[in-house]
Amino acid sequence: MADEEELEALRRQRLAELHAKHGDPDDPAQHQAKQREAEVRNSILAQVLDQSARARLTNLAFVKPEKMKAVENYLIQMAQYGLLSGMVSEPGLIEILEKVSQQTEKKTTVTFNRRKVMDSDEDDDY
């Protein structure tokens, strides 16, 4: 009996920790906060991107959503610091995309470790 009570207490504690860490998906306040954040992001992006640049960014979301998020974050940060002069056009967005791509590009290298196989009399049977 005591073991079952302890186990249930541990389950409740773990569930509370998970809710604190990740949030409760059914929590209406958290849902509203995410919705407000999305509205603010969209508002800022609407102010800094012209129509063609916005369309290109939307198309990018279908192909590479993580890159689209990185570009959005970059644009929002630049706008907040006042580093954008006027609206960003499609060519300007392409330059930003190239910068973000260079920063996030994964460099892969392949190395071969060759091992010298010792010759033995047993291998001469082929």
Side-chain angles (χ1 to χ4, degrees):
M1 274 291 197
D3 290 338
E4 290 178 18
E5 291 173 5
E6 288 177 25
L7 185 59
E8 185 60 33
L10 285 172
R11 283 185 187 143
R12 280 191 297 249
Q13 181 182 359
R14 180 69 179 140
L15 186 61
E17 289 172 3
L18 286 173
H19 284 296
K21 184 176 181 181
H22 298 291
D24 185 2
D26 297 328
D27 185 14
Q30 186 177 11
H31 180 68
Q32 286 178 346
K34 285 184 179 181
Q35 192 172 9
R36 277 193 304 267
E37 180 186 345
E39 289 173 3
V40 168
R41 289 176 67 86
N42 287 333
S43 173
I44 292 172
L45 291 171
Q47 292 173 9
V48 298
L49 293 174
D50 70 5
Q51 193 171 10
S52 62
R54 185 82 171 153
R56 181 173 284 270
L57 193 59
T58 302
N59 290 338
L60 181 65
F62 292 118
V63 181
K64 297 191 176 189
E66 65 282 347
K67 188 174 282 191
M68 184 261 326
K69 269 290 199 210
V71 170
E72 281 184 352
N73 291 339
Y74 181 79
L75 287 167
I76 290 170
Q77 187 176 19
M78 288 183 67
Q80 288 174 339
Y81 290 126
L83 299 174
L84 293 176
S85 57
M87 293 188 86
V88 176
S89 62
E90 188 172 2
L93 181 65
I94 291 171
E95 288 180 28
I96 292 171
L97 281 168
E98 289 172 355
K99 285 181 187 177
V100 170
S101 292
Q102 288 173 355
Q103 291 173 355
T104 60
E105 184 178 295
K106 295 180 181 175
K107 304 250 189 240
T108 57
T109 57
V110 178
T111 57
F112 292 98
N113 291 328
R114 296 181 183 223
R115 296 182 184 162
K116 190 172 186 178
V117 179
M118 296 184 66
D119 292 337
S120 67
D121 293 336
E122 298 172 2
D123 293 334
D124 294 337
D125 294 337
Y126 41 104

